[in-house]
Amino acid sequence: MHGEQIKHPPSANFHADGGARPAKRLKKVKSSEHLCPSTTSDDCVVDPGDDDTLLPLELGQTSLEAALPSVGTDEDAIEEYEVAQAADIRRRLGEQNWTRGRTSIYVDAFNLALETVLEDEGPLFDHAELAVFENWRQLDYEAQYLDIADLPAAVQALQKTRQLPSPPLLAQRTASELDTPEVIALGLSFAFADRSEEVITTLEEASSLLQVDELKAIAREAKASGRNKRDLLKSLHSASRKQRSLSWGDPKDANNGVLTVANRCDSNEGSGDSNRPSPERGYGVGGSRDDHFVRKILIQTGSCIRLSSTVLNLFERVHLVFYRSTEWTEKSLKTIILSRISRRNFPEYIVSRSTNVFPSRSVLLEFESAIRTQSAVDSILEFGGVPKEDEFRKVIDTFEVIYPRWKLLLDEEQRKEARIYVSGEGAYLRRFSPAWVYTRILHKAAYAMGRLKLYKREYDLLSELLSQRLFHCARRGAWYQRKALIEEHYMAAALSGGEGDIEADKKKWKRAALRTCESGLEDNDCHLIYHYDLQKRISKLERALKVAKRDQHDFGHVLLSKATERVVKGVQILKGGTGERKGGSQSGGLPRGAQTVWLDEREGGGECRVEAMCLSWYRDQGWKGYHSEGGIVRTLFAYLFYDILYLYVPNVFQTPYQTCPLDLHTDAFYPSRASEINRRLIEISNGGAERLITELDKRGRETKLCVVGLDWGFERDDLLEIVKCFNGEALATVCKVMAQEYSQRGGGIPDLFLWNPETENVMFVEVKSENDRLSDTQRLWIHVLSSAGIRVELCSAVAAEVRSAG
């Protein structure tokens, strides 16, 4: 560490670099790439049912984090908390001053999580792991926090070898644990941190301790060069191969593929000079030239410590159990504590932290192993660039391994559904079954099969996924779409082998595709968002099969209409440009997605965004409105479904500080409350929205009740006027989409919401300026709104005049 103090490391992960945990790998925000790149091509389907994509939440949020209110989590908020805690300590212990490192929100938050988990779910951890936690409690605060004043003492405490009790004779590992290579046994002793001299054996690991300039200085000895670390390492390895031939393993395999950067300790502190690597000591395999560079790096850095991967994995398991999530972010820890002390008014609900989320230790360990496997699949398909053929085959190989286990767990879960789960409980608990994770991997494997043109295997897998109704119901629409596409285009050729009557086979499979689309429309778990594409394919297939007109499906009753094109002209302000132009829609080559600046001539002539300029134009036409994007829809949903949002469902309210149930952002929300939601949709269709809004407004407006999606900035009179203009059935359709897919459908709603009290109409408007293009989520919302009979316009903003800002 070179004597430096490390500010605010997340001790919950007890991360070895002494600073903030490296940013978690972010998920890509996609709409349909999992099965296809577009919604318009006949060979594509839409996959908004992936509950890991399209989130309107902060990327990487946990379910609990999404349910907590928005609170300040910056350095000022953290220091305010820590000073307040220190003041309490002074009152209790008579201390006079607060010293940084004597109290930390990170340590307090992790200890809260640990105590809660051990109190409620201690049996999920074995005797050795419980002993590790006890040793953690005995560490002094500085060693827990890693904001260290006495560095040598803290290093000594962290590197101390600690004995663990022998396992009881009856404590035998289950088959699941034995088959899980990621679960590393603690053995009879452990240390919280390893010495760099013992664990850093490769040039890749050692180089991570240095800045680029420092590594360049090392490289000069071998006359190696490069502009960045990757180039420098490649050059150094090349120099090593010239000296001696070695067979190195993949450095990514170390530490489960995650390289944890060690704490750099000053050479005169910590373990002392005796722990420095000796120039004569060998590192790695065979005493290669690489070892010489490793030694030089470690001499330069001094002795370092790195947290034990075994302990790190154990602490991460605590987070998994506490947060009921496959994701973890540092912010979760801060938010839950800061929510406690924030002056907010939360809805009344029953807090229920169930202890049966993970019914046994073996289930927990298999679930942990499953999400590691899922992460490996995601890294191939989503985060490693365009996958190659061998990478797709790796995904299919993973499928082959987990498929038999998935079948067994599926049967087991079906028995639970029939005999054990109380109403609504199973839908949420199933998300923590390894089979939930395996189902997602199967879905990804189907995509890989399609890319390799293994259509028969993909078809069989999709059929099997559709035959079950327990896992990932939100994907059923995407599975129907893809299955129908394969039947229509590929199955005849895949099965014929070039023999028989190919045209007859094509007709047979087109009829099968027609039945698949019909099944999708009849499936209550196939969300409305998919209906348009299924209806379009049905019409196409019936024409191809020459079905008699009287026998064809008529989808006129869904009131499907296209968005109306609208052009609004205005004055555009060109920032940094010169001169004026008139009569053109082009503004000098703005980059795609760039925000344009316009003149709001109807509202005082000030500068504004394009949405505000268009909103003023519509107001001139007699409309009232907001530039709210999804804000008005989420607010209406919160008003109309308030009591259903906070209905008692086991496990979904883990703290008293939530703004929504934990399953709202999952596809478990709707089936767990299906009867209540459907009754409410009927009530809304029959004109009951005004009563519901009035009742909640009286209860919550004065205290600004913290309800998910509810923006108290919308006036009550406006909301009542809006629902009077809203056709009841149309409003119920929008609410049903939100109930089914709150997370995915929170984005993509058109920019402007307008209503006309005189004509009692509502309208959504998507505003497009020069370089804007509709996203897949926007197209999907336009289809849903149009299908419900709601007017939608695409408003193109055109610059009638362009003025220079200068």
Side-chain angles (χ1 to χ4, degrees):
M1 296 180 191
H2 297 296
E4 296 180 0
Q5 287 192 338
I6 308 300
K7 295 184 179 180
H8 302 299
S11 61
N13 257 338
F14 205 55
H15 194 59
D17 65 358
R21 181 182 174 93
K24 194 169 183 71
R25 176 168 56 87
L26 300 183
K27 293 184 178 297
K28 293 181 180 178
V29 181
K30 302 180 180 180
S31 59
S32 60
E33 288 86 346
H34 293 294
L35 290 180
C36 73
S38 166
T39 61
T40 57
S41 169
D42 185 57
D43 286 338
C44 298
V45 296
V46 180
D47 182 23
D50 186 344
D51 34 51
D52 298 316
T53 59
L54 299 171
L55 296 178
L57 314 172
E58 233 178 87
L59 291 176
Q61 271 189 321
T62 66
S63 297
L64 181 57
E65 198 172 306
L68 295 172
S70 176
V71 295
T73 56
D74 56 10
E75 288 296 318
D76 290 340
I78 294 169
E79 185 156 334
E80 181 182 353
Y81 166 83
E82 293 177 350
V83 170
Q85 289 295 97
D88 182 61
I89 292 173
R90 289 199 302 273
R91 284 193 298 272
R92 289 186 285 110
L93 303 179
E95 296 179 5
Q96 298 301 312
N97 297 305
W98 172 61
T99 303
R100 181 177 292 279
R102 296 305 302 168
T103 183
S104 163
I105 190 172
Y106 300 96
V107 177
D108 294 347
F110 176 68
N111 285 335
L112 168 68
L114 179 60
E115 295 304 321
T116 302
V117 166
L118 293 183
E119 178 182 354
D120 295 336
E121 293 156 288
L124 296 176
F125 300 90
D126 65 18
H127 70 290
E129 293 164 345
L130 295 174
V132 171
F133 297 143
E134 185 59 35
N135 276 275
W136 160 262
R137 293 190 184 99
Q138 294 172 5
L139 286 176
D140 61 43
Y141 207 91
E142 284 190 345
Q144 289 184 341
Y145 184 26
L146 290 181
D147 191 351
I148 300 169
D150 187 354
L151 185 61
V155 169
Q156 184 177 6
L158 294 171
Q159 292 184 335
K160 177 183 176 181
T161 299
R162 302 166 188 271
Q163 299 302 312
L164 293 173
S166 300
L169 294 177
L170 296 179
Q172 297 180 354
R173 292 187 176 273
T174 66
S176 174
E177 294 177 62
L178 292 174
D179 293 339
T180 307
E182 292 85 354
V183 179
I184 305 172
L186 284 164
L188 298 178
S189 64
F190 82 101
F192 283 108
D194 301 320
R195 292 177 173 84
S196 57
E197 301 82 15
E198 298 172 350
V199 298
I200 295 182
T201 59
T202 69
L203 185 55
E204 282 76 11
E205 289 179 307
S207 66
S208 67
L209 306 178
L210 298 181
Q211 301 293 332
V212 174
D213 290 342
E214 295 173 316
L215 188 59
K216 283 182 178 179
I218 298 290
R220 290 193 191 102
E221 176 186 320
K223 298 181 179 180
S225 61
R227 290 178 298 178
N228 52 44
K229 281 192 176 182
R230 176 183 294 181
D231 293 342
L232 288 166
L233 287 174
K234 183 177 180 180
S235 185
L236 286 171
H237 279 309
S238 177
S240 297
R241 284 194 295 270
K242 292 177 182 178
Q243 296 295 323
R244 177 172 293 183
S245 177
L246 285 174
S247 176
W248 288 96
D250 187 349
K252 294 180 181 177
D253 290 340
N255 196 17
N256 290 330
V258 178
L259 182 61
T260 308
V261 182
N263 280 335
R264 294 177 57 172
C265 302
D266 186 83
S267 58
N268 295 319
E269 298 187 74
S271 303
D273 288 351
S274 61
N275 284 330
R276 283 190 177 190
S278 167
E280 289 75 32
R281 285 182 62 182
Y283 292 82
V285 181
S288 76
R289 174 104 175 176
D290 274 5
D291 301 335
H292 171 70
F293 296 132
V294 171
R295 290 197 299 273
K296 288 189 70 68
I297 290 173
L298 293 183
I299 289 172
Q300 180 170 334
T301 63
S303 186
C304 305
I305 63 171
R306 182 173 69 181
L307 292 196
S308 162
S309 60
T310 306
V311 175
L312 183 61
N313 289 340
L314 175 59
F315 279 25
E316 288 177 339
R317 195 175 306 145
V318 172
H319 284 283
L320 188 153
V321 175
F322 180 76
Y323 288 112
R324 318 300 205 205
S325 176
T326 60
E327 294 286 343
W328 181 87
T329 67
E330 176 189 337
K331 184 180 175 184
S332 301
L333 295 168
K334 296 182 289 188
T335 306
I336 194 169
I337 282 192
L338 293 172
S339 297
R340 281 177 152 189
I341 62 175
S342 65
R343 296 181 179 179
R344 306 292 180 91
N345 294 288
F346 294 92
E348 294 182 3
Y349 52 79
I350 299 173
V351 177
S352 169
R353 184 173 176 86
S354 175
T355 59
N356 64 340
V357 169
F358 298 106
S360 68
R361 172 179 169 79
S362 61
V363 171
L364 170 60
L365 295 181
E366 186 175 3
F367 182 77
E368 182 182 353
S369 175
I371 61 177
R372 291 181 190 276
T373 303
Q374 174 183 272
S375 177
V377 170
D378 286 345
S379 68
I380 292 174
L381 296 181
E382 299 184 29
F383 304 104
V386 179
K388 299 177 181 177
E389 180 177 340
D390 62 327
E391 292 175 314
F392 284 127
R393 295 200 180 278
K394 284 182 182 179
V395 174
I396 296 174
D397 290 343
T398 301
F399 155 75
E400 299 286 4
V401 172
I402 66 173
Y403 174 75
R405 180 64 179 162
W406 177 76
K407 290 287 290 181
L408 290 174
L409 291 174
L410 184 62
D411 292 341
E412 179 183 320
E413 199 68 26
Q414 191 64 61
R415 289 193 295 272
K416 287 183 183 179
E417 183 68 15
R419 302 178 184 176
I420 299 176
Y421 290 141
V422 298
S423 177
E425 185 177 27
Y428 182 70
L429 292 181
R430 274 195 295 273
R431 296 182 62 82
F432 304 98
S433 164
W436 179 275
V437 186
Y438 293 153
T439 304
R440 186 175 184 273
I441 296 173
L442 263 61
H443 169 75
K444 301 290 185 181
Y447 167 72
M449 292 171 186
R451 291 301 300 269
L452 295 179
K453 300 184 179 180
L454 302 173
Y455 298 121
K456 176 61 169 62
R457 295 190 69 188
E458 183 186 7
Y459 174 79
D460 291 340
L461 180 53
L462 289 169
S463 299
E464 199 155 10
L465 288 169
L466 283 167
S467 69
Q468 58 85 33
R469 291 184 172 271
L470 298 180
F471 300 105
H472 291 274
C473 290
R475 300 181 188 274
R476 293 185 66 81
W479 294 336
Y480 280 118
Q481 287 177 319
R482 181 64 182 176
K483 182 170 180 276
L485 183 147
I486 294 173
E487 289 168 333
E488 180 183 357
H489 292 290
Y490 303 122
M491 286 304 293
L495 294 181
S496 69
E499 299 177 359
D501 188 343
I502 188 66
E503 291 302 320
D505 287 343
K506 284 182 178 180
K507 285 188 177 181
K508 181 187 76 173
W509 283 106
K510 285 180 179 179
R511 293 190 191 97
L514 182 61
R515 289 193 296 271
T516 296
C517 293
E518 292 170 340
S519 298
L521 293 177
E522 294 167 358
D523 189 339
N524 290 330
D525 289 327
C526 178
H527 295 179
L528 287 173
I529 211 76
Y530 297 100
H531 283 199
Y532 173 77
D533 283 337
L534 291 173
Q535 291 162 0
K536 186 170 68 173
R537 190 174 295 277
I538 285 176
S539 298
K540 174 188 169 185
L541 287 167
E542 287 179 335
R543 289 194 300 270
L545 292 169
K546 295 181 171 54
V547 175
K549 192 72 174 177
R550 63 180 178 276
D551 295 328
Q552 291 183 13
H553 288 79
D554 180 8
F555 296 114
H557 67 283
V558 299
L559 304 177
L560 184 62
S561 59
K562 294 183 179 180
T564 304
E565 295 281 349
R566 173 79 63 186
V567 175
V568 172
K569 295 182 179 181
V571 178
Q572 189 179 62
I573 307 299
L574 185 60
K575 297 289 186 179
T578 58
E580 297 186 4
R581 274 189 301 109
K582 293 185 178 182
S585 62
Q586 302 301 314
S587 57
L590 288 172
R592 183 175 298 172
Q595 290 187 356
T596 55
V597 179
W598 298 76
L599 199 65
D600 194 341
E601 297 178 293
R602 302 169 183 84
E603 297 289 339
E607 293 183 0
C608 66
R609 291 178 56 180
V610 64
E611 295 89 354
M613 185 270 290
C614 293
L615 181 58
S616 291
W617 184 89
Y618 279 103
R619 285 173 176 163
D620 283 350
Q621 314 307 312
W623 295 89
K624 293 184 177 181
Y626 292 108
H627 171 212
S628 63
E629 297 180 351
I632 191 70
V633 171
R634 288 191 291 269
T635 293
L636 288 172
F637 182 80
Y639 268 106
L640 301 177
F641 285 79
Y642 171 81
D643 55 334
I644 296 175
L645 282 167
Y646 299 99
L647 184 72
Y648 173 73
V649 173
N651 314 301
V652 300
F653 291 107
Q654 301 284 327
T655 80
Y657 316 107
Q658 294 174 212
T659 63
C660 67
L662 294 184
D663 63 347
L664 176 63
H665 298 94
T666 75
D667 61 9
F669 177 79
Y670 181 85
S672 299
R673 304 160 181 83
S675 59
E676 292 84 0
I677 290 173
N678 290 333
R679 280 197 297 269
R680 179 57 47 83
L681 293 173
I682 293 172
E683 184 178 358
I684 294 169
S685 297
N686 292 332
E690 289 183 67
R691 178 187 63 80
L692 294 167
I693 289 175
T694 301
E695 289 180 357
L696 180 59
D697 200 84
K698 287 180 180 178
R699 186 191 317 178
R701 181 170 289 275
E702 185 176 348
T703 60
K704 299 293 188 291
L705 199 64
C706 286
V707 180
V708 63
L710 199 158
D711 183 349
W712 293 106
F714 293 110
E715 296 294 334
R716 183 195 65 173
D717 291 343
D718 281 351
L719 295 172
L720 292 174
E721 202 170 66
I722 287 169
V723 296
K724 286 181 182 177
C725 297
F726 230 125
N727 175 274
E729 291 185 0
L731 180 57
T733 297
V734 173
C735 289
K736 184 175 182 180
V737 171
M738 293 296 290
Q740 288 182 324
E741 294 185 316
Y742 190 91
S743 179
Q744 289 82 358
R745 300 281 71 80
I749 300 173
D751 300 302
L752 307 182
F753 178 80
L754 306 169
W755 74 98
N756 190 322
E758 294 183 3
T759 62
E760 294 192 345
N761 286 319
V762 299
M763 178 167 62
F764 287 86
V765 177
E766 180 63 38
V767 177
K768 299 191 301 179
S769 57
E770 178 186 347
N771 291 311
D772 287 346
R773 291 184 180 179
L774 290 178
S775 68
D776 288 343
T777 53
Q778 290 170 331
R779 292 190 186 97
L780 290 169
W781 260 115
I782 289 172
H783 291 327
V784 168
L785 295 170
S786 299
S787 299
I790 301 171
R791 184 174 174 182
V792 183
E793 288 193 353
L794 292 177
C795 178
S796 297
V798 173
E801 179 182 351
V802 179
R803 298 178 185 174
S804 171

